[in-house]
Amino acid sequence: MLPTLIRFNFNRSATIGFIGLGAMGRGMAANLLNKTFEGQSGVYTYDPDKPRPAFVVYDAFPEAANKFLTEHTRAYAGRDVLPASSPAGVVRLASTIFTMLPSSPQVEEVYLGENGLKEGLESLGDEKRAETLFVDCTTLDQAVAKEVANEMRQVGAEMVDAPVSGGVVGAEKGTLSFMVGGPAPAFERAQPYLARMGSRQIHCGDSGNGLAAKICNNLLLGISMAGTAEAMLLGKALGLSPDLLASILNTSTGKCWSSEINNPAPGALPHAPTPADRDYTGGFLSKLMAKDLNLALSASKDSGVPLPVGSLTSTLYNKLSAHEEYSDRDFSVVYEYLKEGMQGGVAEKVMEKLNNNRKK
Ligand code: NAD
């Protein structure tokens, strides 16, 4: 007897796609999957008249997709969690698609490249194109995001930019904040899905405005972290213990997230240990902060707004990012980098370069 052929019979309108299962994406996708299919499992009987919803994933790094599939495939009977072999394959099966990629080049590739989302969408009819919504959660260049959204609109779909704050822990716990840019109806369509991955969804205006908010926030975050690291180092050199100085800053006008929650000096927050107390492991990587500061500088060029403090901070973080020892550690490791500089290390050279630039 021939084995029974299982026919794929998915309800595209109710199927979700997720592309980019890295540090952030895997936790976000797990929450989206679990909260969408919660309570829906049970014995499934094949019924050709009742196409079923599925959850489709893709990552350029096959191990990332395999890991996600191993952890989730069997969780919901009759609710398939399956891989696609390209972004085009994702959009053929799913009408609501999330992307969480490193930055602009990867977003351009996944949306506009060969076997990309646009190509996949073009192979579908008008009705399927019109029901398609793309939600890009990547932190990328605002101009690139606007261009990609425009291209997707031209082929009949809708798109919003929805970068996040809250880090890997927020992604895992489903407590992220989303800053969303795009037309109001598209935001309203995206909101129920975003609510499964985060606790706040803020509509910031047109396409690109979610990224504008995210880029401004991270510009300030980078500056405040570098400033906190300088204050903590100076305090230590002047004879103050890190916990005493932190307790004073945090009840005074110098208080900020970098001093209060993610203080860069080891031992500064004895009751709430930080990445600094774990040798700067975990957290938000220096190389990602460098990337976000570069995005702020590029926006500054486009808008004509000068960012003198931001560009100094960006020089610092680009140095960290180029340095194996610092690049993949929490961005509060700028404290250690500056400390090295005190001993005649790399940071001193940065200061030299900054001073030379200022003289030009
Ligand atoms: P990551 O590098 O861990 O994950 C990115 C994933 O995308 C990887 O699994 C990678 O294999 C995949 N990928 C890369 N190119 C691809 C392609 N062409 N096609 C398909 N998949 C591809 O990065 P992350 O830490 O998850 O960050 C993602 C985004 O979120 C970045 O823009 C980052 O700035 C932003 N962000 C990160 C944090 C954080 O704490 N990590 C916090 C807020 C925002």
Side-chain angles (χ1 to χ4, degrees):
M1 207 172 88
L2 286 170
T4 313
L5 286 177
I6 299 171
R7 278 185 29 213
F8 290 111
N9 188 22
F10 298 122
N11 176 356
R12 182 180 182 275
S13 312
T15 291
I16 298 171
F18 205 107
I19 300 177
L21 300 159
M24 294 293 289
R26 60 176 165 259
M28 292 167 68
N31 279 312
L32 184 58
L33 169 73
N34 291 330
K35 291 183 192 167
T36 301
F37 289 165
E38 209 162 48
Q40 291 189 18
S41 53
V43 176
Y44 175 72
T45 315
Y46 175 68
D47 180 345
D49 297 325
K50 280 194 191 153
R52 57 193 199 264
F55 195 94
V56 188
V57 295
Y58 174 74
D59 193 293
F61 181 54
E63 281 78 358
N66 289 342
K67 188 168 185 292
F68 187 86
L69 291 165
T70 310
E71 284 166 8
H72 299 284
T73 303
R74 291 175 191 283
Y76 301 96
R79 297 285 179 265
D80 297 84
V81 184
L82 38 115
S85 56
S86 66
V90 175
V91 77
R92 289 191 189 108
L93 290 172
S95 65
T96 308
I97 294 161
F98 293 81
T99 46
M100 189 49 156
L101 298 159
S103 195
S104 310
Q106 294 80 12
V107 169
E108 282 182 311
E109 187 189 331
V110 164
Y111 280 85
L112 308 178
E114 201 183 337
N115 271 323
L117 291 166
K118 186 178 173 204
E119 196 180 306
L121 199 60
E122 282 168 343
S123 69
L124 302 173
D126 287 350
E127 209 176 300
K128 287 190 173 163
R129 292 183 191 199
E131 70 172 8
T132 305
L133 172 68
F134 297 105
V135 181
D136 181 31
C137 302
T138 311
T139 308
L140 76 155
D141 190 279
Q142 194 198 33
V144 174
K146 283 183 182 175
E147 186 206 314
V148 171
N150 193 29
E151 294 262 354
M152 302 321 278
R153 244 168 247 140
Q154 277 176 15
V155 284
E158 203 39 272
M159 178 163 181
V160 294
D161 48 291
V164 306
S165 98
V168 176
V169 173
E172 283 165 2
K173 289 190 174 162
T175 55
L176 294 172
S177 289
F178 289 92
M179 294 152 262
V180 189
F187 169 70
E188 278 152 28
R189 280 173 68 190
Q191 195 174 19
Y193 297 95
L194 297 177
R196 294 171 208 167
M197 298 182 277
S199 37
R200 288 207 314 157
Q201 310 89 43
I202 306 146
H203 188 211
C204 304
D206 277 348
S207 274
N209 277 18
L211 281 160
K214 170 71 184 172
I215 289 168
C216 293
N217 180 71
N218 279 23
L219 167 67
L220 182 54
L221 178 62
I223 292 171
S224 71
M225 179 55 82
T228 305
E230 287 186 355
M232 294 303 297
L233 266 178
L234 182 64
K236 196 167 177 222
L238 298 181
L240 297 171
S241 72
D243 58 328
L244 174 68
L245 180 56
S247 75
I248 292 166
L249 292 180
N250 292 332
T251 49
S252 307
T253 46
K255 173 170 137 176
C256 61
W257 184 86
S258 301
S259 68
E260 195 179 24
I261 310 287
N262 210 66
N263 197 297
L269 303 176
H271 304 297
T274 61
D277 298 310
R278 304 187 293 269
D279 198 23
Y280 303 93
T281 51
F284 184 59
L285 308 185
S286 297
K287 65 181 179 192
L288 290 180
M289 178 48 85
K291 177 198 70 146
D292 291 356
L293 288 165
N294 292 339
L295 293 175
L297 289 194
S298 149
S300 128
K301 274 197 200 116
D302 294 345
S303 62
V305 174
L307 301 180
V309 183
S311 60
L312 288 184
T313 314
S314 146
T315 306
L316 258 179
Y317 274 103
N318 279 304
K319 286 278 170 194
L320 262 74
S321 174
H323 211 288
E324 223 173 73
E325 198 185 328
Y326 302 109
S327 168
D328 286 324
R329 291 159 91 194
D330 183 73
F331 76 121
S332 57
V333 76
V334 66
Y335 177 89
E336 292 297 324
Y337 179 79
L338 293 172
K339 199 165 94 185
E340 283 268 310
M342 283 167 56
Q343 291 141 21
V346 274
E348 210 166 56
K349 292 188 191 119
V350 175
M351 286 317 297
E352 248 172 58
K353 189 173 167 215
L354 296 178
N355 287 332
N356 290 341
N357 284 349
R358 222 171 293 144
K359 281 180 209 147
K360 276 182 195 164

